[in-house]
Amino acid sequence: MSTKHEKILQYIESLPVGDKISVRQIAKEMQVSEGTAYRAIKEAENRRLVSSIERVGTIRIEKKKKENIERLTFAEIVNIIDGQVLGGKTGLHKTLTKFVIGAMQLEDMMRYTDAGSLLIVGNRIKAHENALRAGAAVLITGGFDTTEENKLLADSLDLPIISTSYDTFTVATMINRAIYDQLIKKDILFIEDIFVPMTDTSVLRNDETIQHFHKLNERTTHGAFPVVTANNKLIGMITVKDVIGREENELIEKVMTKNPIAGSMKMSVASAGHRMIWEGIDLLPIVDDDNVLQGVISRQDVLKALQLAQRQPQHGETIDDLVKNEMKVLGDEELIVEFKVTPQMTNQYGAISYGAFTTLLAEVGSFALKRRKRGDAVAENMTIYFIKPVQMESTLTVRPRILDMSRKFVKMDFEVFNQQMLVGKAMMMFQLLER
């Protein structure tokens, strides 16, 4: 049974791309309060179903697949550059294919400008008109306006003309940054990318008995199941351990684990994996905001997904990527890692930042464990008990040493040298991801 919130989201998704919506309209259409409608529209914005623009309103935009996330709509461009829409508001939902910076003669500019492009240009009225006629939208920099004729042309062609007070270089940088951030998001795996949906999930009802558990266990060979009410609200988890020595006719709700740990669709796979290892659980139920079960993920799903993600080419660069790029592995017998401190990794005093330093140690530790064929691990805690300032452009040498290793935990010691001088010492505990 869907909640009001879900029904509104389904309604918004069913609307044609380009439709304008409002809180009042949704509240009237779906017979809900304006507060409920507002929350649903905000969630739709998070899911990239709509985009809200100042002085224009909220527009249904094309939902982009993960592999195509770097393509922006004109509505998103308006928000990125704090723009004002001068004309062609009805085309804001459209997705653009490329940017053209108009820093050339008009004829040359038009050679690069075609349908689906966005021409970024100053107060060149003729260029605005020619771009619209070629099927491109226009972004006017420097806070300039255009003619009324061009605005009417934009309206008739459903192609936006947007104005921003920023200069061309700043605009290009802002848009580039937004695409870059989206590429990084694209690389991050979320639960929604790998979860097993409700249609394929085996569940038990709270009013069923342990006999039902045994039947389901035999049929599926699974050792754990979510327990739900008649309207699919998650109320517990039951495992093989819970039913040992229990009578067949005992109710499941008497032996299940109540208020189980659950995840959400927007939780990252890495975060879910860490939680599952930390709590010692093999199956994580996935719920929505109303605690209605959406599906499950297993520890095996998480491991496969993380291993697959590590083999994918990286597009956007995070701080971790910058650190990894500067690491060079030396030594065959004893692992030694050489590392160059770049300007991006320094604090306000020009010395290596704590963030870059701890990331370096975590990466070296993970590499050392992989070399010992121990697979993936999660850093549980770290103690840095000696550190000296290290200037940018310095080349560091990191020597990790495994002090103790059990089936689940590894304790590691690190020494960091700048030339021959000891500049850092740390102790780190890893928890191993079981296969």
Side-chain angles (χ1 to χ4, degrees), residues 229-287:
T229 61
N231 54 4
N232 281 338
K233 289 225 175 191
L234 178 74
I235 54 164
M237 283 293 291
I238 187 162
T239 68
V240 174
K241 287 178 191 170
D242 299 322
V243 301
I244 293 170
R246 297 288 188 166
E247 296 293 325
E248 290 280 287
N249 59 356
E250 269 193 83
L251 282 174
I252 278 169
E253 65 182 350
K254 298 284 185 198
V255 297
M256 69 182 186
T257 302
K258 292 177 181 170
N259 304 318
I261 294 156
S264 69
M265 293 290 200
K266 290 295 174 192
M267 192 182 210
S268 74
V269 171
S271 174
H274 193 283
R275 190 90 192 264
M276 290 168 86
I277 292 157
W278 184 252
E279 301 288 351
I281 54 178
D282 293 314
L283 193 75
L284 186 73
I286 309 304
V287 295

Side-chain angles (χ1 to χ4, degrees), residues 160-179:
I161 293 192
I162 305 157
S163 176
T164 177
S165 55
Y166 296 111
D167 62 88
T168 304
F169 176 77
T170 307
V171 162
T173 306
M174 289 165 90
I175 294 171
N176 215 27
R177 180 71 250 178
I179 292 174

Side-chain angles (χ1 to χ4, degrees), residues 328-338 367 371:
K328 195 158 73 178
V329 179
L330 309 172
D332 294 322
E333 291 298 314
E334 182 196 4
L335 175 66
I336 299 167
V337 175
E338 208 173 73
F367 193 86
R371 200 177 240 208

Side-chain angles (χ1 to χ4, degrees), residues 116-299:
S117 307
L118 176 68
L119 176 66
I120 303 172
V121 70
N123 56 342
R124 297 173 68 178
I125 303 298
K126 193 66 186 163
H128 305 166
E129 184 192 338
N130 287 6
L132 290 168
R133 293 196 187 282
V138 179
L139 173 52
I140 307 166
T141 57
F144 293 108
D145 204 342
T146 191
T147 61
E148 287 305 314
E149 290 78 17
N150 281 347
K151 290 175 189 176
L152 291 169
L153 180 63
D155 288 338
S156 67
L157 295 171
D158 292 340
L159 287 168
I161 293 192
I162 305 157
S163 176
T164 177
S165 55
Y166 296 111
D167 62 88
T168 304
F169 176 77
T170 307
V171 162
T173 306
M174 289 165 90
I175 294 171
N176 215 27
R177 180 71 250 178
I179 292 174
Y180 213 61
D181 285 348
Q182 289 199 5
L183 283 167
I184 290 170
K185 284 180 193 172
K186 175 178 152 183
D187 288 336
I188 297 168
L189 279 172
F190 290 98
I191 298 282
E192 64 184 359
D193 300 319
I194 67 157
F195 82 113
V196 177
M198 262 305 271
T199 47
D200 303 321
T201 301
S202 303
V203 298
L204 287 161
R205 293 264 295 275
N206 59 320
D207 54 1
E208 290 181 314
T209 63
I210 286 169
Q211 189 178 9
H212 290 100
F213 174 91
H214 287 309
K215 281 181 184 170
L216 197 57
N217 172 244
E218 278 172 36
R219 185 159 59 80
T220 63
T221 70
H222 297 168
F225 303 100
V227 183
V228 296
T229 61
N231 54 4
N232 281 338
K233 289 225 175 191
L234 178 74
I235 54 164
M237 283 293 291
I238 187 162
T239 68
V240 174
K241 287 178 191 170
D242 299 322
V243 301
I244 293 170
R246 297 288 188 166
E247 296 293 325
E248 290 280 287
N249 59 356
E250 269 193 83
L251 282 174
I252 278 169
E253 65 182 350
K254 298 284 185 198
V255 297
M256 69 182 186
T257 302
K258 292 177 181 170
N259 304 318
I261 294 156
S264 69
M265 293 290 200
K266 290 295 174 192
M267 192 182 210
S268 74
V269 171
S271 174
H274 193 283
R275 190 90 192 264
M276 290 168 86
I277 292 157
W278 184 252
E279 301 288 351
I281 54 178
D282 293 314
L283 193 75
L284 186 73
I286 309 304
V287 295
D288 65 10
D289 293 342
D290 298 307
N291 210 42
V292 173
L293 188 69
Q294 303 294 297
V296 293
I297 58 162
S298 69
R299 195 184 287 214

